[in-house]
Amino acid sequence: MAAELPEYYFRVRENGAFVFRVDTENKQRRIDMDQIAVVNIRKGEIKPHGERDLSDEDIAIIRDWMAERMELLDHRDIDDIHRAVDYLNSTAHWAQSKASDAQLEAVTDALLLAMHDLRTVLVRKKADRMLERD
C-alpha cells in the first residue's frame, strides 16, 4: 500500500489547498502527513507552513498541481453552464406541460428577473466582443 501513495497530498479548500508531504517510511509503518504549505489559487500564492523552507521540487509540484486544478475548475465552470442550459430547457417544458398555476405563481417573478439579468449580461458581452472584432 505504501508504494501506491503519492508523495504529496492536497487538501482542497474553496480558493486553494493545504499541502502535505506524505510519509510512510517510519518505524510504525503508518501514514504521516506533514503540512508544508498553503496555496491560494486566486492569488497564485504558495506560502510555506510555519518556519518551513520549500524545496524547488516542492514548489514545482505545487505549481503543477495549481495549473491542473485551474484547468479542472475551468472545465467544471463550463460544464455547469451547459447544465444550466439543460435546466432552462427542462424548466420551459415543466412550465408548459406540468406546472400548476400555484407553482408558476411561486417561481415566475424570480425566473423572469434571473433570465432578464442573464440576457442583459449576455447581450452586453456579445456586443463588446463584436466591437472588439471591428
Side-chain angles (χ1 to χ4, degrees):
M1 177 176 109
E4 298 173 16
L5 293 176
E7 188 176 346
Y8 296 86
Y9 172 73
F10 295 83
R11 182 192 300 154
V12 176
R13 60 191 188 120
E14 184 178 334
N15 61 345
F18 296 110
V19 184
F20 297 86
R21 185 173 288 113
V22 178
D23 177 22
T24 57
E25 300 297 323
N26 54 60
K27 291 179 184 179
Q28 295 83 19
R29 297 181 51 106
R30 66 174 193 224
I31 300 170
D32 287 329
M33 294 192 336
D34 182 28
Q35 185 176 352
I36 63 169
V38 177
V39 174
N40 185 317
I41 287 183
R42 289 185 193 139
K43 295 180 181 179
E45 294 177 344
I46 301 170
K47 292 183 180 178
H49 181 70
E51 299 295 318
R52 184 169 307 278
D53 289 324
L54 298 176
S55 69
D56 291 341
E57 178 187 11
D58 292 336
I59 292 171
I61 288 171
I62 293 169
R63 290 212 183 281
D64 288 347
W65 179 87
M66 290 171 72
E68 290 172 13
R69 182 72 180 167
M70 289 300 298
E71 188 177 315
L72 174 66
L73 294 174
D74 288 345
H75 175 74
R76 285 182 182 168
D77 280 347
I78 197 68
D79 191 50
D80 287 346
I81 300 307
H82 287 293
R83 275 197 200 104
V85 172
D86 289 347
Y87 288 138
L88 285 170
N89 287 319
S90 296
T91 302
H93 179 69
W94 168 83
Q96 185 174 28
S97 64
K98 298 177 184 177
S100 69
D101 288 345
Q103 289 173 320
L104 286 171
E105 190 61 36
V107 298
T108 295
D109 290 343
L111 280 170
L112 287 172
L113 287 170
M115 290 186 312
H116 175 73
D117 182 35
L118 177 60
R119 183 183 185 283
T120 301
V121 169
L122 291 175
V123 167
R124 184 179 69 243
K125 291 289 200 170
K126 182 155 188 141
D128 291 347
R129 288 191 313 273
M130 291 174 71
L131 287 173
E132 286 177 7
R133 285 185 216 144
D134 292 343

